[in-house]
Amino acid sequence: MTDSADRTDPTDLWADYLDPAEPRPELPADERRALDRLAATLGTPDLWSEPPAGLRAALLQAARREQGSPEPVAEPAPEPIAAPPVTAPPVTAPPVTAPPVTARPVTAPVAEQVPDPVVVPLHRRSRRTWYVSGLGVAAAAALVLALAWPRPQTQTYQIAGTALAPRASAVAELETRSAGLAIRLEIKGLPPAPAGAYYAAWLGGTQGSVPVGTFHWRKGGIPIDLWSGVAQDRYPNFFVTLQREGQAPSPSSAVVLNGQVGPTPP
Amino acid sequence: MTPADARPDPQPDAQSDARPEPVPADVVQAFGAGDVEALGTVYDAFHRAVWSVAMSVLHDRGLAEDATQETFLRAWRAAAGYDPARPLGPWLFTIARRTAIDVHRRESRPTQGGHAGEQDSVVSMPGIERAYDAWQVRSALEELPADERDIVRMSHFEDMTHREIAEALDVPVGTVKSRSHRAHRRLAGRLAHLMTGGDA
């Protein structure tokens, strides 16, 4: 990738060695070992995984609670989305009414005292309590982040897990691009697809369903990039199904995620 | 860089973390004074690196959530004693690693039988030697432009060729090649201290 004139800088050699698509240059053994280790780290799923979006809000809420500060008010969480019947194909299922979460920005009060440096053992607290009580704040923080993201054409929607995957949820970012509708999906709580199966994502509307991509979620932790050739204003129902290999290429009845990413059709 | 087993407890210092402080000085001061908003800013700057340390040690998202939140709470509680003249990153890494170890020990402890002390002494943490690498590499990745970081992820994590990346991103292969080299060059430069034996 680099010209010979650039070779005076060892960084170029290291870059070529690190890049899996480039021929590996000759390097001293200790540098090779170091670079091999770096490359191994770069290929680790743990390295690329992302903390859950609600963690920041939960952290700040816990800190405010310790301080005794009033907690910011968040709008109530949206009504849970009713899971479609497992036997009813999502193609014909009526679109769910799950508009994007709306919430007001979080405003944090200024601390009035230095916190007690004594460390409280983590196991005394209930993670469920954090999440239940922080759900509204988490939704508000997620929307604030989405609104602050410097991509004016990006729209963010909350996608809920169904009865088949009640712990699953996702945030879908939709962006209209020249090639089509780019969908970036950040999933939480969805188990990996079992062997012989995979997940398929769809956009559905009154005219049927259109596939927008498949994934297995066996490594997890990173956003999934999907593409759609149809617009969400005519196909406003976004859902994810569990598919069996060899099955017909149409949505199965096993819907695991479901949400609305456009206007509800009349 | 030495082998993992020869580096049981690395500590990043100011030299190995020699890069612009990602948190403004006034925010660091407010953090030291217990400001919750400043805690949020510190979280924004370091949460991915802390998360990677937790995941590298614990390999479990639920436990990593606990460890990440506890890391920032511990740092916030102890920030009054933190010297704002020193870089925040190495201090946070130390707390993150210790917290992950604590969470691991807590989870490894038997819930019955009263042998907690014995169990603590034999607990093994195969990921602990990777925590330092995880912190360094994730921090370096955070400094890359998003388009370059995406290419590094696709190359190393998703095992995609330049041609596959070009198709996925809808850009010419030549663009992917140049971005890839630029990204790997930035990474190598940022992590040069690991290449020249300056582990910590």
Side-chain angles (χ1 to χ4, degrees), chain B residues 14 22 40 46 56 60 73 89-91 96 120 122-123 152 154 162 168 174-175 199:
Chain B
F46 291 103
S56 70
D60 180 279
L73 282 176
W91 183 69
D120 272 358
V122 297
V123 73
V152 173
M154 292 175 177
H162 283 173
T175 301
D199 282 345

Side-chain angles (χ1 to χ4, degrees), chain A residues 1-2 9 11-12 14-16 18-22 31 34-35 37-39 41-43 45-52 55-56 58-60 62-64 66-67 108 110-111 113-120 122-123 125 127 130-131 179 184 219-222 225 227, chain B residues 1-4 7 33-37 39-41 43-44 47-48 51-52 55 59 61-62 65-66 68-70 72-74 76-77 80 103 106 129-130 133-134 137-138 141 149 152-153 155-158 162 170 177-178 180-181 184-185 188-189 191-192 194-196:
Chain A
M1 189 61 219
T2 52
D9 188 344
T11 310
D12 281 312
W14 294 340
D16 282 350
L18 267 182
D19 191 336
E22 296 295 337
E31 292 182 15
L35 290 162
R37 182 167 168 154
L38 272 184
T41 302
L42 285 167
D46 291 345
L47 182 80
W48 296 98
S49 68
E50 291 281 331
L55 190 54
R56 185 186 196 275
L59 167 69
L60 298 190
R64 289 192 184 98
E66 285 193 20
Q67 275 192 331
V110 176
Q113 60 184 19
V114 176
D116 185 349
V118 175
V119 172
V120 178
L122 189 64
H123 61 272
R125 293 192 306 271
R127 197 184 311 154
W130 289 347
Y131 280 109
R184 172 160 280 202
K219 288 185 176 178
I222 59 171
D225 291 317
W227 283 93
Chain B
M1 184 160 46
T2 55
R7 198 179 56 190
D35 189 317
V36 176
E37 195 70 13
L39 170 62
T41 305
Y43 177 88
D44 292 340
H47 70 286
R48 288 193 176 90
W51 173 263
S52 291
M55 283 295 287
H59 306 292
R61 288 187 64 84
E65 285 180 42
D66 285 352
T68 300
Q69 176 159 345
E70 185 63 9
F72 284 101
L73 282 176
R74 286 184 180 187
W76 180 67
R77 293 176 190 130
V103 169
R106 184 196 76 203
E129 71 275 6
R130 297 291 182 196
D133 287 350
V137 175
R138 190 68 184 254
L141 287 169
R149 187 166 55 242
V152 173
R153 174 175 54 80
S155 295
H156 289 270
F157 179 61
E158 300 180 29
H162 283 173
D170 196 21
K177 281 184 173 292
S178 59
S180 180
H181 180 73
H184 284 96
R185 195 179 190 288
L191 300 169
L194 301 180
M195 245 69 74
T196 53

